[in-house]
Amino acid sequence: MAAPSSKNSYEAIKNDIVNRRFKPIYLFMGDESYFIDELTDLLSDTVLTESEKDFNMQIFYGVDSDVNEIIASARRFPMMAEYQLIIIKEAQNLDKFELLEVYANNPMPTTILVISYKHGTVDKRKAIIKKIDKVGVVFESKKLYDNQIPGFITTYLKTRDIGIDGKSAQMLSDFVGNDISKLIPQLQKLEVSLPPESTHRRITAEMIERNVGISKDYNNFELVKAVAKKDIASASRIVDYFSKNPKENPIMATVAVLFNYFSNLLECFWLPKKDEVSVMAALNIRSSFFARDYMDGIRNYNATKVMNIISELRTVDAASKGIDNISATHGELLKVLIYKIMH
């Protein structure tokens, strides 16, 4: 069976909801809860007015709801409103979930049924997926890759009329990773710290240093830049800072960032053209700002060296977890790693 329609992107669905182009059934599923919650909340805020919600909005929870009761409720007509809204939260816990296919065969045009299915997906081979995709929307909310997080940060802040430069976005990405549930509170903390009367609100590296606790000069972003340029002095200063502040700069996070960089860099060596445009296209980078480190890496390393570095990173990752490591501290492991990378 074919996968659900690719036309159902997050932005496209959001745009349709805002413009009140509703579908009778929405199935939001996947491992990234943030996008599921955002779309569910948007429907909750958009479909009905506050006064209409009293008689026309029902919320069911999968763990203690009966699927037949949900179907019966969905078949009712709205009261003094154009639509009724039914939301099934935690639908992954709904017993006999597949019975919703019965309703999907003939949904009520005046009912909007929202199915919030988290921490996994419905088997795409099941008929219910095909039925819902035909009459409504099936959206799979996937975890973002690490290289997508800076773009997410920029877009998220832009919707709030807040700017951020590339370095600051990458600093936050390196610090938090791709866990959006941890990232959003940090962004909200930064938003609150901005002067409300300012007409040009912008988040800077200095603000991140003050409010989040990431040094603007000693962080994984600056380390990657130094490594890419083969700036041994800068890389050594950063690693020395990391070794003195291990709680704020865990080695696992640094190894993960370096592994991501060198894995992407290795891909660049197989490109027919190794120019900035080709690198951006291959690595799905939207800004030339983020391509600079790879252009430096192409000039300062070769494919064989990069493969050896990736192997060394795997070894250090294992050693940091106690495998084949008797006494070396994380700081010592990191210093040796950077020496091997740069020489």
Side-chain angles (χ1 to χ4, degrees):
M1 189 188 82
S5 175
S6 60
K7 69 181 183 296
N8 294 331
S9 68
Y10 173 77
E11 289 300 331
I13 298 167
K14 182 178 178 181
N15 185 62
D16 281 346
I17 294 171
V18 168
N19 289 285
R20 299 187 64 81
R21 295 191 291 265
F22 301 128
K23 300 290 186 179
I25 306 178
Y26 293 88
L27 171 56
F28 304 141
M29 62 182 185
D31 295 319
E32 181 48 75
S33 297
Y34 172 79
F35 298 109
I36 295 174
D37 289 338
E38 283 289 293
L39 291 174
T40 301
D41 291 345
L42 183 60
L43 282 162
S44 178
D45 293 338
T46 306
V47 174
L48 301 170
T49 65
E50 287 303 315
S51 60
E52 290 173 336
K53 288 180 181 180
D54 291 339
F55 297 104
N56 297 288
M57 181 172 174
Q58 287 182 273
I59 297 176
F60 294 90
Y61 290 87
V63 70
D64 57 6
S65 297
D66 178 75
V67 68
N68 292 306
E69 181 185 353
I70 294 172
I71 293 172
S73 297
R75 293 203 183 282
R76 295 173 188 152
F77 288 97
M79 293 182 62
M80 296 176 289
E82 185 178 1
Y83 299 104
Q84 72 160 335
L85 177 65
I86 295 178
I87 299 174
I88 310 173
K89 294 190 174 183
E90 305 295 340
Q92 69 275 8
N93 298 319
L94 181 64
D95 190 34
K96 299 179 182 177
F97 175 88
E98 290 79 8
L99 288 182
L100 288 173
E101 180 191 341
V102 175
Y103 177 76
N105 283 326
N106 186 27
M108 288 283 288
T110 54
T111 294
I112 295 174
L113 175 63
V114 183
I115 306 167
S116 173
Y117 191 108
K118 295 181 177 180
H119 314 303
T121 60
V122 182
D123 188 339
K124 295 181 177 66
R125 295 169 296 181
K126 292 185 179 295
I128 188 172
I129 293 287
K130 188 173 183 179
K131 294 288 175 62
I132 293 177
D133 191 45
K134 184 177 179 180
V135 300
V137 169
V138 176
F139 170 69
E140 183 176 350
S141 181
K142 297 180 180 179
K143 288 282 187 184
L144 295 181
Y145 293 114
D146 289 339
N147 65 349
Q148 295 175 302
I149 296 299
F152 171 82
I153 291 170
T154 301
T155 301
Y156 176 90
L157 292 172
K158 187 177 180 180
T159 62
R160 286 153 177 76
D161 296 320
I162 301 171
I164 188 170
D165 60 88
K167 173 182 175 178
S168 300
Q170 190 66 52
M171 283 172 60
L172 285 168
S173 174
D174 292 342
F175 181 72
V176 180
N178 69 343
D179 188 338
I180 295 181
S181 66
K182 293 181 180 178
L183 176 62
I184 295 299
Q186 298 293 353
L187 295 177
Q188 291 171 336
K189 184 193 301 184
L190 288 165
E191 182 175 359
V192 170
S193 71
L194 289 167
E197 68 278 1
S198 174
T199 56
H200 183 67
R201 301 195 299 168
R202 189 170 186 83
I203 289 172
T204 64
E206 288 76 15
M207 289 180 59
I208 293 172
E209 184 173 43
R210 287 196 306 271
N211 294 282
V212 179
I214 314 169
S215 169
K216 66 182 178 64
D217 298 315
Y218 300 100
N219 54 70
N220 287 320
F221 173 84
E222 294 294 341
L223 178 60
V224 168
K225 184 189 295 185
V227 167
K229 292 179 178 293
K230 275 208 167 181
D231 184 343
I232 297 174
S234 294
S236 297
R237 283 196 298 271
I238 294 169
V239 169
D240 186 58
Y241 178 88
F242 284 3
S243 66
K244 293 174 182 176
N245 300 274
K247 289 185 178 180
E248 292 78 21
N249 305 278
I251 188 173
M252 283 76 79
T254 300
V255 169
V257 168
L258 289 171
F259 185 86
N260 181 65
Y261 170 73
F262 280 108
S263 296
N264 287 337
L265 182 60
L266 184 61
E267 186 177 337
C268 294
F269 286 107
W270 314 134
L271 296 174
K273 290 185 178 181
K274 297 174 180 60
D275 55 70
E276 191 172 282
V277 173
S278 300
V279 168
M280 290 175 65
L283 301 181
N284 193 27
I285 297 173
R286 292 185 291 178
S287 169
S288 60
F289 176 85
F290 298 111
R292 294 171 193 164
D293 291 337
Y294 294 105
M295 299 309 298
D296 288 335
I298 290 171
R299 286 189 289 270
N300 292 314
Y301 297 89
N302 58 53
T304 301
K305 175 66 174 178
V306 171
M307 285 191 283
N308 289 336
I309 289 171
I310 290 173
S311 176
E312 188 64 34
L313 284 164
R314 294 184 189 278
T315 300
V316 171
D317 180 60
S320 71
K321 297 168 183 172
I323 301 173
D324 296 329
N325 175 31
I326 299 174
S327 60
T329 65
H330 285 184
E332 290 167 342
L333 286 172
L334 194 54
K335 287 179 179 179
V336 172
L337 170 65
I338 294 302
Y339 179 84
K340 289 183 177 180
I341 289 175
M342 306 288 273
H343 293 82

